[in-house]
Amino acid sequence: MRNVPLAEVDGLDRAVLAIGTDYPPHHLLAWHEHRRAQVLYAATGVMQVETADGSWTIPTDRAVLIPPLTRHQVTMTGVSTCSLYIEPSAVPWLPARCRAVDVSTLLRALILEAVEMEPHYPEHSRDAAVATLILHELKNLAPLPLDVPLPSDPQLRSLCEAFLRQPNIHEPPARWCTALSISERTLARLFQRGTGLSFSQWRQRACILHSLQHIGTGMPVTRIASMLGYDNPAAYTAAFKRLLGRPPTAYRSPGSHGL
C-alpha cells in the first residue's frame, strides 16, 4: 500500500500492515500515536522522531521501533518512508521505549516487498509468508545509539531542546547554570538523573546526531565540523566514529557527495 491512511486499514485482521508514504521537504507529522506498534523505515532522507523522553535521528536505510500508544512527532527531511504497523500481540518482545535499529539487507527487501502487498492478503499465501518472515527478522536487529535522551524537568528540557536546534560542541555548562540558577555540580546531578549521561556526553551525542541530517544532504564534512564548533574536521570525524562506529561517509544518502 502506498500513501494510504492507516485508519482505513487498521482494523484488518492481519498482524502486519505495510504502508509506503512520500513526504514533502521539511514535513512535520504533529504529535500522534498508534494502536499498533510501528517500524518506521527511512527509504530516503532523514527523520527526527521525538517522544516525551527523547529524540531519535534516523538516517537513510535505518529504522526506529515505536511501541504501541507512544505519543510521538516526526520531522521529515527529504523522506520517503515505509512503515510496518504490527499488532502488539505479535511483538511482545518490543522495548517499552523507542529504539533506533540497523536494517538488514533481507529485512530491507522484505519491507519494500510488503508495501506492494494488498492489505488483506490471504492467509497461508506468499504475502502472509513475507509478513511472518518480517516478524522473525525484526527480533534480530542491531540497536544503534541514534537517540538523545531528554530530561523530564521542564526548565532543563527547555534548554536541551534549544540546544538541539543549534548545537555547539563548546557550549559551556556555566551558561546553563546561570539560566537555571544552580551550580555546576547540581547541573551534573540533574543531567545524570534525567538523561543517564554527563553534560559533556550528552552535548557530544547531540552534536553528532544533529549532523546526520546534514550528512544526508551531502554537506561537506569540513562545513559540518565548523558549524558544530569542532576545531577541525578530524576532531569531528573521530567523535563521530567513537559514537557510531563508522565514519560520516557511511551515513551519506545514495547519490550525495561531500568532503
Side-chain angles (χ1 to χ4, degrees):
M1 296 179 289
R2 291 189 177 276
N3 299 308
V4 174
L6 174 62
E8 292 185 9
V9 294
D10 190 30
L12 291 179
D13 182 23
R14 292 295 179 266
V16 179
L17 299 173
I19 300 176
T21 309
D22 301 316
Y23 292 97
H26 308 295
H27 182 71
L28 173 66
L29 281 178
W31 291 98
H32 64 288
E33 62 186 49
H34 308 294
R35 180 186 66 82
R36 292 172 178 251
Q38 182 181 14
V39 179
L40 183 57
Y41 167 69
T44 64
V46 179
M47 306 178 294
Q48 185 170 354
V49 179
E50 186 179 348
T51 72
D53 63 351
S55 174
W56 287 256
T57 303
I58 310 299
T60 302
D61 279 342
R62 280 79 176 180
V64 59
L65 309 180
I66 304 175
L69 302 178
T70 298
R71 281 185 57 77
H72 60 285
Q73 69 173 6
V74 187
T75 303
M76 311 283 190
T77 304
V79 171
S80 177
T81 69
C82 297
S83 283
L84 303 174
Y85 296 98
I86 305 174
E87 285 289 348
S89 59
V91 283
W93 51 266
L94 204 72
R97 185 174 182 264
C98 289
R99 175 183 294 171
V101 292
D102 210 355
V103 176
S104 67
T105 301
L106 175 56
L107 182 59
R108 183 177 302 114
L110 291 169
I111 291 173
L112 295 177
E113 183 67 25
V115 298
E116 303 297 335
M117 296 173 1
E118 290 298 318
H120 201 271
Y121 46 84
E123 294 184 19
H124 312 297
S125 65
R126 174 185 176 279
D127 289 351
V130 168
T132 299
L133 188 51
I134 282 173
L135 293 176
H136 283 292
E137 280 298 296
L138 287 175
K139 287 185 178 181
N140 300 315
L141 297 182
L144 296 172
L146 298 177
D147 66 301
V148 179
L150 292 172
S152 58
D153 179 87
Q155 289 182 301
L156 182 57
R157 183 184 177 109
S158 179
L159 289 174
C160 288
E161 290 174 339
F163 182 84
L164 291 177
R165 290 190 290 272
Q166 196 170 1
N168 186 292
I169 194 60
H170 293 303
E171 172 78 0
R175 189 182 72 81
W176 295 51
C177 293
T178 299
L180 298 172
S181 300
I182 59 176
S183 67
E184 290 202 22
R185 181 174 295 181
T186 300
L187 179 68
R189 283 201 306 270
L190 286 175
F191 250 96
Q192 191 66 46
R193 186 170 65 216
T195 70
L197 301 171
S198 68
F199 178 84
S200 61
Q201 289 172 329
W202 187 93
R203 180 181 59 190
Q204 181 88 274
R205 179 176 286 216
C207 286
I208 296 302
L209 297 188
H210 179 85
S211 75
L212 285 172
Q213 59 187 290
H214 300 294
I215 291 171
T217 65
M219 182 183 290
V221 166
T222 51
R223 184 177 171 191
I224 295 173
S226 175
M227 178 182 65
L228 294 173
Y230 284 91
D231 296 334
N232 52 65
Y236 161 71
T237 298
F240 193 103
K241 290 179 69 175
R242 280 197 301 272
L243 179 65
L244 299 181
R246 303 167 73 184
T249 52
Y251 284 82
R252 292 206 181 280
S253 299
S256 67
H257 303 281
L259 297 176

